[in-house]
Amino acid sequence: MKIRLIEPGNRPYKPTPLNLFVYDRYIRTPSVGLNTLATIVKEKVDDTLMYSESVSRLVMEDIVDADLIVIGIFTFSAVRGYRLARYFKKNSGAVVVMGGLHASMNYREAVRYCDYVLLGEGDESILDMVEAVRKGETPSFPGVAYRKDGKLVHTGMRRPPERFETIPDKNLIWHYKKMAGHNTLWGQVHASRGCPHNCDYCAVVRHFGRKVRTRTPDNVLEDIRRTIAFQEEGHHRLLKALWITDDNFFADREWAMAVLQKIIDSKIRYHFTVQARWEVGLDDEMLCLLKRAGFVELAMGIEFIEDESFALYHKKSSRSSIVQSIENIQRHGMSVRGLFILGADTHTVGVGEKLADFVIRHHIKGALIQCMYFVPGTPVYESHKDRLLHHDWSRYNGHTVHKPARMTPYELQREHIRASRKIYSVPRLIQALLHEDRLHKLLFVGEFFWHMSIRADLQKELPYLKKMSAEAGAD
């Protein structure tokens, strides 16, 4: 039996000097989730391989004669994923299965392009699917959607796994080992799933649930060791950093402290970063452990800087608590990276300038800025259906895709561009090169070019958005 797993790229990989500087134009770190499934399958089927269009082109002649092709998609990569699924349905005898966050939450759409959709987390159901394909049977286990005689069949939702100790084998990803020396590719470890909060725009709780489930600290530490070895062996990386990608690593406080203590006891010397809510910035005991373990920054999901926006989207936060958190993290010798959203129904023209001023005033080292993000199945998607400009999922990557309440789509896109340009200006690049430490020099240079590429993409959409805005005004 031959199995191939594919991660589509919204912008499929191609070799270019840009890859040395710009993450996310033609390069992006491969999916930990799909890599985990590939590792699980490999234990049962030796001829198993994963392709990620983040780091390589697809070898079509190797894929088309597979028995089972699994395509994992996020919303921004769904268009490319559907195109690949159609191609393989036409040119291969394989059973084509789709999964991942977007396919799970929008399975009614996804089933039109493939044989089956795997719903939710696939750690257990992937082996059931392999066995069904091996026997030539129609899957009947929970967690599958498909079409039969023109009708949708849904076998019911499967309970998510309580334990998930599989350490992804990154060597199963075609071409990844060769690419791992790129400084734009950070090692990633995902240690827990789920989030107890309920922000309207977040797909995490809808996909993984509100119950936080964790891997054992020893298992997480071993994953960290293997990931560092994969990144470092045979390469000369300037940026030695690993990203723990949990959406809410600190939700289970005692567990998080146990993981950090394991890292400290291991004597591993490396740079780490992790995503965080503002509350961890007020936990001095946790911050001390983070610093001792080698964490250099926290990527804080700030999202908004106005209290009315927090309230509108059920984000339990406030501007004052976030500022207090940022300042306390910095006192402990770590930096803060801010994750921000523009396009809330409270936002007006000028919000981009205010956001940039907030980032600069509070010495936030880096910023990810996105316009309001709409994943099918989230409350914000349901409440904004009549204000979406289109369903071209490839543009659902942080660009403007809806009509804000108090701005035009054109104005919102311009606010995004203004915020990016002010935060990543040439004077601030020079300032970083002169005054930041070595790590943050490298980070700012990379982000300077990354944001330049993002702004170029945003600029290309302005004529279309201006036309859409004019038509909406005429109505």
Side-chain angles (χ1 to χ4, degrees), residues 459-475:
Q459 291 277 5
K460 291 175 184 176
E461 294 179 350
L462 283 177
Y464 159 77
L465 291 172
K466 191 171 187 178
K467 179 183 177 182
M468 293 291 294
S469 299
E471 290 174 354
D475 292 341

Side-chain angles (χ1 to χ4, degrees), residues 95 97 105 137 193 224 280 303 331 355 402 428 471:
V95 173
V97 174
M105 298 184 68
E137 298 176 349
R193 299 178 188 176
I224 289 171
V280 73
E303 274 95 51
R331 277 194 293 270
L355 172 58
H402 84 296
R428 279 179 47 79
E471 290 174 354

Side-chain angles (χ1 to χ4, degrees), residues 139-156:
S140 58
F141 55 87
V144 181
Y146 59 95
R147 294 178 67 84
K148 182 178 181 180
D149 300 326
K151 295 182 179 180
L152 179 68
V153 177
H154 188 299
T155 63

